[in-house]
Amino acid sequence: MSKIKLVLADDHAVVRSGLRMLLDAQPDMEIVGEAESGAEALAQVQTLLPDVILMDIQMPGMNGIEATRQIKEVGGNTAVLALTMHEDDQYFFEMLQAGASGYLPKRAAPDELVRAIRTVSRGEVFLYPSLATRLVQSYLGGNSGSDGVTLVSDLTPREQEVLILIAEGLTNPEIAEKLVISVKTVDRHRENIMRKLSLHSRIELVKYAIRHGLIGLEE
């Protein structure tokens, strides 16, 4: 079984050391590089081609948001997982806009970090549940316009269910199991949703659901 190749980007050596201890113990993960700044993180991705980079936000020189933006601009399949002490909406949405596939606070439990890495390595999206809840509640006021209501009303009830589950981070097999339908049916619903909402990626689906209050309103 091939391992998930990781790069750790954080300007605190003690944080990287702790992450290394945790992740080196995972049989399906391999740390291939470390970075102390956004510029180093970008260079590591270009040379080492990791599957996932754990990205802090506040680092000297180029910050994690700009590093993420440039990593996604150069292409490749590296998924960016933000691992940060910042839990406010500004950093959260800036990282998503830059192209991050997940956002996890440093206070999260070790098993949640491991799950987040495995999730984004599969091309899925991971959002820390309690953080998404608080951000949605604070963000809805100015972002749930009539255009969103109209577009959502174009979805069938089943498509709305699938959209919510995608945005909550469930994989296609997990959605299929939860709704008691086939994975192929989930794929078809997702294609219809993206066509109707003029979206082009899973992360766009997540951001759409957050902005229009479709997820995160319950603990």
Side-chain angles (χ1 to χ4, degrees):
M1 180 180 66
S2 61
K3 293 187 176 184
I4 302 169
K5 297 189 296 182
L6 303 170
V7 165
L8 312 178
D10 195 295
D11 60 331
H12 294 96
V14 67
V15 172
R16 298 197 308 274
S17 177
L19 289 172
R20 182 174 283 277
M21 289 180 63
L22 169 66
L23 301 176
D24 275 343
Q26 306 304 314
D28 59 340
M29 297 181 189
E30 176 186 9
I31 297 172
V32 297
E34 297 185 16
E36 297 181 346
S37 68
E40 287 187 14
L42 178 60
Q44 292 275 339
V45 167
Q46 291 173 320
T47 58
L48 299 174
L49 304 177
D51 300 302
V52 178
I53 179 166
L54 273 60
M55 185 75 76
D56 192 14
I57 291 179
Q58 292 292 351
M59 292 185 286
M62 183 190 297
N63 64 28
I65 296 171
E66 181 58 29
T68 298
R69 185 176 294 112
Q70 293 195 30
I71 286 169
K72 304 315 290 186
E73 284 177 354
V74 300
N77 297 317
T78 299
V80 177
L81 173 61
L83 182 62
T84 176
M85 62 181 291
H86 298 289
E87 300 186 35
D88 56 87
D89 54 358
Q90 176 186 352
Y91 288 111
F92 179 78
F93 284 105
E94 284 188 9
M95 281 298 287
L96 286 185
Q97 187 64 38
S101 297
Y103 199 101
L104 192 71
K106 287 181 176 177
R107 65 180 175 85
D111 63 330
E112 289 176 308
L113 173 59
V114 170
R115 183 162 64 92
I117 292 171
R118 290 173 179 152
T119 298
V120 300
S121 74
R122 297 192 300 264
E124 308 288 346
V125 174
F126 184 93
L127 298 179
Y128 190 66
S130 65
L131 177 60
T133 297
R134 184 170 62 80
L135 291 174
V136 169
Q137 290 171 337
S138 65
Y139 195 74
L140 283 180
N143 292 275
S144 52
S146 60
D147 59 329
V149 174
T150 300
L151 287 172
V152 170
S153 68
D154 290 338
L155 302 181
T156 67
R158 178 65 88 188
E159 288 168 351
Q160 292 184 36
E161 285 183 295
V162 171
L163 172 60
I164 291 169
L165 294 174
I166 289 172
E168 289 178 344
L170 274 68
T171 64
N172 285 2
E174 289 170 341
I175 294 172
E177 180 178 359
K178 188 176 183 67
L179 298 181
V180 196
I181 57 179
S182 70
V183 175
K184 284 187 176 180
T185 300
V186 175
D187 286 334
R188 186 171 67 252
H189 285 315
R190 186 175 66 174
E191 290 173 1
N192 290 338
I193 292 165
M194 295 176 75
R195 175 178 51 80
K196 289 180 179 181
L197 300 182
S198 297
L199 303 175
H200 303 94
S201 69
R202 194 180 187 95
I203 192 67
E204 288 183 357
L205 287 173
V206 171
K207 288 190 288 186
Y208 182 93
I210 290 174
R211 289 190 178 108
H212 296 288
L214 300 179
I215 64 169
L217 295 179
E218 300 179 0
E219 292 287 355

